[in-house]
Amino acid sequence: MVQAEGVGKAQGPVASASGSLRLAGLASLEGRVTGPAGLVANNAAALVANGAGGLVANGAGSRRTMSLFPQEPVTRALVYLATPEGRFLVDGEGRILSTVTDEEGRFLLPQVPDKGLALIQIMLSRQRRLMGYVRLSGGARQVVVDMATTLVTEALRDHARNRGVSFADLVPSDIDPLVLRTRALLNAGAFGPVVPERDDPDLSLPGLPALINRYLAMTARDPALQSLWAGILGYRPYALSPVAEAFLAQARTAAYRPAGLAWDEAGARMALALRGASETRIVVWQPSSLVGSSSIDAVTWHGDRGTGFRMLNPDGLVWMASGSLWVADGYQAKARPEALPAYLTRLDGPGKVFRLFLKPSEGGQVGEVWGMAMAPDGSLWLADGSRHVLRRIAAQDLYPAVVKDGIGLATASVMVGQPDDGGWVDGPAATARFNYPMGLAFDGEDLIVADRDNHRVRRVVGAASGQPIRVGTFVGGGMVRDTKGLPGLPADEGLAPLDAVLKHPDLVAMAPDGRLVVSMADRVIRVGATGIETLTMPAWGRFAEGEARRVVTGERLGMVLAGTDLWLSATDGPGVSRLAMGLAP
Amino acid sequence: MKAGRFGLPVSVACALLQACTTVARAPVVQLAAPVPGAAPVLVRPATDAEAARIEGNLKVPVLSPARSVLADGAPVMAGPGTRPTEEVAGTEALVYLTDPEGRLVSFEGQTRIATTVDGEGRFRFVERLPVGRPLFLTALLPGDRRLVGFVVTRPGDNTISVSLASTCVAHLLARKALAAGRDLASYPSSTLLELTEQTRARMKAGQLPVPDLTIGHDLDVVHAYVAAMAGVASLRSAWGTLLGISLVPATTVFRDTEDYVTAAGYGAGHVYWSHSDRIYRVSEAGGPVTRVVGVDAEPTTTVPLPEDGAVARDAAFGPIRFAVHAAGDLAVQAEAHAVVGFVPVADGVRFGRPVLAGRWYRLLGTGEPMDGPDDVDGRTSALLSAPAMAWDDRGGLYVLDVFADRIRHLRGEDGQVTDVARLASSEATGSAFVSSLLAGEVQGHSGLAWRRLLDGREQLFTASVDRQRIVVLTQPASGSWAGVRPLSVAGSGQRGLSGDGGSAAEAAFDFPPAIASVPLALDASGGRLLVADVGNARVRAIDLGTGVVRTVAGGGDRVGDGEALALRLRFQQPEAIAVGTDGSIYVPVGGESEGLRIWPETP
């Protein structure tokens, strides 16, 4: 049996034999080690063991996938046993239980402890390693160590470290389903291309965070595996991937940064605002070219230069069913003289620009318009942040007679709130108060509002019903407090919507299943019947893509749902990215 | 023919081993690519006379026993960042051999390629090994850590001590040798032993922080080791001689967690820096940080200008910039007031008036940015904005008034103001510098550095963001600056990064338009102009004798704490620079606003 003394007490390696975990009982462990061919490719040439390549060759230069590697025996590699805490397992004479794989990747340890958890570590060249673990019991045990066992074991160890719990307490009693499903995904090529200069997943210790990040993102491809991991992690891992990187990299070189984002209703087109140092462009993408392609088919509908229709910060974008695109330019109020009215820009196609000046229904001017949402009745609702009200432009006013040179005029009536009187009051429209409303989305006839400086999301009940309007608070406790919680798990995870900590929510999107997605300063959450679910958060990883909670997403200026995918645009990080939420419950 | 492993003739196996050796000598940068060779199997020597045996002992660093003994009596190995002074026998480790590139080696005909240390930390490989082969011994410790030793096998017994010192030496040697494409067997063992002993002595003196010894973090070990050599000239010299290169460590001298560092200076053994509205200093040897200018309160730009004689550290100036005199006097510009003043480090007479240490005295500017006549009395004279100032060696001060496009000089003896170049009277004075200003050659925000030539003439270096150039103004023998034309010292005129190792005048720099001032500094000898190449996130040095530019820090990929090899660091935009009397360069690394000391190269 394994003597437990010393375990958990040591803060580091112990320089005395008293802490070693000695073998007492008798059992044997027989195993077979396989790895991707890239890892063991040098064997073919012959002399030796476990070649130099590293997982998927670590810089081999090509976008190769795991599926391209047939699993091959890992020969003449050093095998040793350790506890999950990193202590060696030793035999009765104090020798560390170790051996070497043979020419067929097999190993045999004739005497191992007869109970307890053991990590089987396969040390390869350049300090890379494969890993598996086994629950020891009396008699002979047979194990396989390969990429699947390595990914599962390393991810479990990483999670145990993050949570500050012991590996033994954390792991499910039967990890076979985890390993089997992982292996099936790997064999199907799901690990995806490896771009070494981006995240360098690798079997070396420094490469492990990237490897685990990539693996957990991969689990989102298999709902059953994703659910198994959700049971362990306490949250469902999603994959966040950059979109149209080559296009955006080119735009970035020309000093353009992604801003507002919108999908049309049919999912046929995506509009993206690109804010440049001296010009703003609105490009429209065809979705067929977005996924799995390095170039995209983009058409510029509008560029400021020379048109006389200058956009400063086109953060609000919304498509009409007619195929027109409305652009709100929230910061314009700061740059325009008091006497000049606010405006929206309507694009009816490439180069077809119409500017709609807004006449308020009350005194003064329309303030900074950010969010917009198209109501079922065809009217356009606006969030006038700086004046703390919601406005509405009637459907018939959205195509007014042209006053002069592509310019028209419409009334933006105050529907909810009192101009310049910010606050947090629920109730009838006239007495309800907002504090810098920004993002808007319709949920049937109700309007959902990201009420930024109240740190809440509000529901305007019956906004599009033609009936009296009432405002209620929907999500958020109004407090900005520490949401750190555990690594990767904010403190309000799973809590009721009104207990959510919303830090300046500014974008909202409504999913077809009735769940609400809220973007705020530090993260994106989804709110449903099971409470708060974090989708992205201040990265505790550092990755450009991968498991969504480990990805650095930057300051978000656009967010939209299309089917079960959440699209985000941000000034930095990957620019535009897609979070596949799948059909997860 | 005798058959070797896998049925290959021994001669073929030997040829393949030869191929492996060739690979082992390849530059380290090629390691990321697929390696066509494979890890060697060590072929058993034919006779004992040709064979080497390896045995040794493992020593792990521990903190002083009083602090580190567990309840069961086992000392705990010192962790990262701690400074151990003792070692004890490591008794739990798996020891195995690799080639210099980290590939496991195995022994012909053996099923075991690793061995365990005994209760006294000893280990022994029973296999007979080939002679003359460079081998690394990895002692794998619990917790995924490892210590390493290095040996070139000799006939007979080879005894190796694997320790923290040997780990540092082995990692540094391996990295540098592989980068240079040099055979590890070519380094003299006696020198390596001596270096290891010197390193161990540093550890025993508590001067070698434990690096991150986790498997795969070899580069961290190298950085920590080189940083630990800072200030130990003998050890750095010995390494320099062995490797044929100079190791330039970077160490942290201050951390400013409040704000970005916007200016830096050096004087009288102290490093100065400022963020926003305060100036701090710390001894170049470290120690407590002192606030010397600016009150410790919320920053504001709407404060009245302090009266002459106000205690500088209790006064609010709003945003400030500064320059440090070699003796420690501070020239301070209160930006919001468009005033330049000074804070003397000691009581005495400066600029013709009696002053008290640590007090503020106005020197140039009326406090009304757009007002005031141009008078020889600086305090009634207009000043617009002076992002750059430079002291001369007689207590005088040069001020670059960038919006007014002129450089003014305040004489140290009496504070009298003269213009090096002056826009308003350019026609009258015929200043070629001003003509250059008008022609746009020197416009834009600029830095300033001063030196005196051996013949007594003075030179001013300034930089143009618009032109992406550094120019020099050389005072004629007459002493008057009239008629001086700026000559280009560095910068091709194009923003970019190029030219290291060549003529600075043809090299490209990147000075972003947004920066307030191009950080320039001359070293104590005046022979080297240091430039914070802000956009390229590097420190570059221009040898004013040869005109050659090169990068001396930055351009690497290492972020986080600064303890490292200077050229492996990655800066953010370094907006300040200063040089110490020993040639150390002080530069903020950005981000965390950590101030780094880039140590001078050993001769």
Side-chain angles (χ1 to χ4, degrees), chain A residues 132-182:
Chain A
Y133 86 84
V134 61
R135 282 183 194 279
L136 296 166
S137 56
R141 285 296 306 267
Q142 289 194 324
V143 293
V144 169
V145 178
D146 63 2
M147 278 306 303
T149 63
T150 302
L151 290 169
V152 169
T153 309
E154 293 287 19
L156 286 169
R157 291 183 80 206
D158 176 68
H159 182 58
R161 276 193 298 270
N162 286 332
R163 289 287 193 274
V165 298
S166 83
F167 183 87
D169 291 344
L170 179 89
V171 294
S173 57
D174 182 9
I175 67 157
D176 283 352
L178 277 177
V179 170
L180 291 174
R181 299 201 83 95
T182 298

Side-chain angles (χ1 to χ4, degrees), chain B residues 226-562:
Chain B
V226 174
M229 280 190 243
V232 190
S234 60
L235 196 52
R236 284 175 62 206
S237 281
W239 271 108
T241 306
L242 183 77
L243 299 174
I245 56 170
S246 183
L247 299 171
V248 180
T251 56
T252 303
V253 280
F254 65 82
R255 285 180 206 277
D256 189 325
T257 55
E258 289 180 55
D259 208 342
Y260 288 102
V261 172
T262 51
Y266 177 93
H270 286 83
V271 184
Y272 293 75
W273 73 95
S274 68
H275 65 247
S276 179
D277 56 356
R278 274 159 268 185
I279 302 173
Y280 299 88
R281 80 171 181 196
V282 66
S283 164
E284 64 186 341
V289 170
T290 309
R291 177 171 43 82
V292 288
V293 173
V295 68
D296 190 11
E298 282 297 306
T300 172
T301 55
T302 56
V303 291
L305 184 68
E307 296 290 329
D308 270 14
V311 175
R313 69 190 308 273
D314 295 337
F317 294 88
I320 47 183
R321 303 193 70 85
F322 72 95
V324 191
H325 184 267
D329 286 355
L330 291 172
V332 178
Q333 188 214 175
E335 288 181 44
H337 301 284
V339 160
V340 168
F342 73 106
V343 178
V345 73
D347 295 354
V349 176
R350 307 278 197 286
F351 299 104
R353 27 181 179 150
V355 293
L356 298 172
R359 308 290 178 120
W360 150 265
Y361 300 94
R362 183 162 60 92
L363 208 52
L364 182 62
T366 62
E368 296 294 330
M370 302 301 289
D371 252 349
D374 287 326
D375 204 299
V376 290
D377 174 6
R379 285 177 291 173
T380 61
S381 175
L383 176 74
L384 297 183
S385 176
M389 297 171 288
W391 290 91
D392 67 21
D393 56 356
R394 292 171 186 166
L397 184 69
Y398 286 94
V399 178
L400 175 65
D401 188 350
V402 71
F403 289 161
D405 285 335
R406 63 181 175 183
I407 298 173
R408 313 200 82 189
H409 180 247
L410 291 102
R411 196 157 63 189
E413 292 86 343
D414 54 9
Q416 183 181 325
V417 180
T418 54
D419 285 354
V420 173
R422 187 175 176 197
L423 189 63
S425 57
S426 61
E427 296 302 320
T429 61
S431 165
F433 178 64
V434 171
S435 303
S436 303
L437 286 173
L438 290 170
E441 287 179 13
V442 203
Q443 283 183 355
H445 307 299
S446 301
L448 200 60
W450 175 93
R451 73 167 176 172
R452 188 180 296 282
L453 299 171
L454 288 174
D455 61 12
R457 291 179 301 153
E458 299 176 55
Q459 279 188 324
L460 285 165
F461 295 85
T462 181
S464 162
V465 170
D466 290 354
R467 294 294 172 123
Q468 298 288 318
R469 277 204 182 109
I470 300 167
V471 297
V472 63
L473 299 165
T474 306
Q475 187 185 40
S478 66
S480 162
W481 290 89
V484 173
R485 291 202 77 89
L487 294 176
S488 186
V489 171
S492 64
Q494 298 295 318
R495 278 179 80 177
L497 172 64
S498 68
D500 270 357
S503 163
E506 292 164 17
F509 295 76
D510 186 355
F511 306 129
I515 58 175
S517 170
V518 175
L520 301 176
L522 280 155
D523 67 10
S525 70
R528 219 166 47 133
L529 181 66
L530 283 311
V531 185
D533 189 353
V534 183
N536 288 321
R538 283 163 163 78
V539 174
R540 299 175 84 183
I542 299 157
D543 185 317
L544 294 173
T546 63
V548 170
V549 65
R550 62 191 185 91
T551 297
V552 294
D557 53 8
R558 185 180 170 81
V559 291
D561 67 86

Side-chain angles (χ1 to χ4, degrees), chain A residues 183-452:
Chain A
R183 192 172 289 142
L185 271 177
L186 287 174
N187 288 337
F191 196 79
V194 169
V195 185
E197 56 273 22
R198 181 187 295 150
D199 56 10
D200 198 22
D202 187 275
L203 284 167
S204 69
L205 251 73
L208 274 184
L211 191 71
I212 293 164
N213 169 52
R214 179 70 77 90
Y215 167 60
L216 290 176
M218 183 187 83
T219 65
R221 292 185 172 211
D222 176 352
L225 183 59
Q226 188 189 34
S227 290
L228 287 171
W229 274 107
I232 296 166
L233 301 172
Y235 65 86
R236 190 168 286 273
Y238 295 110
L240 187 76
S241 331
V243 173
E245 293 168 275
F247 175 85
L248 290 170
Q250 202 177 0
R252 190 169 285 139
T253 306
Y256 287 100
R257 297 270 187 275
L261 181 73
W263 273 103
D264 69 1
E265 275 185 29
R269 288 178 298 190
M270 172 195 272
L272 174 71
L274 289 169
R275 198 161 65 196
S278 58
E279 187 200 35
T280 292
R281 282 178 175 271
I282 308 291
V283 293
V284 175
W285 291 352
Q286 308 298 321
S288 57
S289 64
L290 284 179
V291 180
S293 169
S294 59
S295 65
I296 69 162
D297 186 10
V299 180
T300 297
W301 274 30
H302 174 75
D304 293 342
R305 214 167 275 160
T307 65
F309 290 100
R310 185 161 160 68
M311 299 177 189
L312 294 175
N313 291 278
D315 296 334
L317 268 65
V318 63
W319 285 98
M320 295 178 77
S322 65
S324 294
L325 178 73
W326 285 100
V327 184
D329 184 0
Y331 274 126
Q332 54 172 294
K334 289 182 181 169
R336 76 173 194 257
E338 273 300 304
L340 275 185
Y343 54 80
L344 303 176
T345 305
R346 193 185 75 216
L347 305 173
D348 298 324
K352 296 178 182 171
V353 188
F354 180 84
R355 180 149 287 177
L356 185 67
F357 281 90
L358 302 177
K359 182 172 64 177
S361 56
E362 77 295 345
Q365 296 287 4
V366 174
E368 297 174 6
V369 176
W370 295 90
M372 297 185 292
M374 195 61 68
D377 65 2
S379 62
L380 184 66
W381 285 67
L382 314 175
D384 183 346
S386 58
R387 300 200 67 194
H388 311 297
V389 293
L390 305 182
R391 298 177 184 272
R392 176 177 176 271
I393 305 171
Q396 65 271 19
D397 289 347
L398 291 173
Y399 285 90
V402 172
V403 176
K404 181 193 169 193
D405 296 338
I407 294 173
L409 187 66
T411 301
S413 308
V414 171
M415 301 302 290
V416 192
Q418 179 68 34
D420 304 326
D421 186 14
W424 177 51
V425 181
D426 284 337
T431 56
R433 295 290 179 267
F434 292 91
N435 198 351
Y436 215 103
M438 284 189 74
L440 300 180
F442 268 97
D443 179 17
E445 293 182 334
D446 296 352
L447 182 64
I448 309 300
V449 183
D451 192 2
R452 190 188 73 176

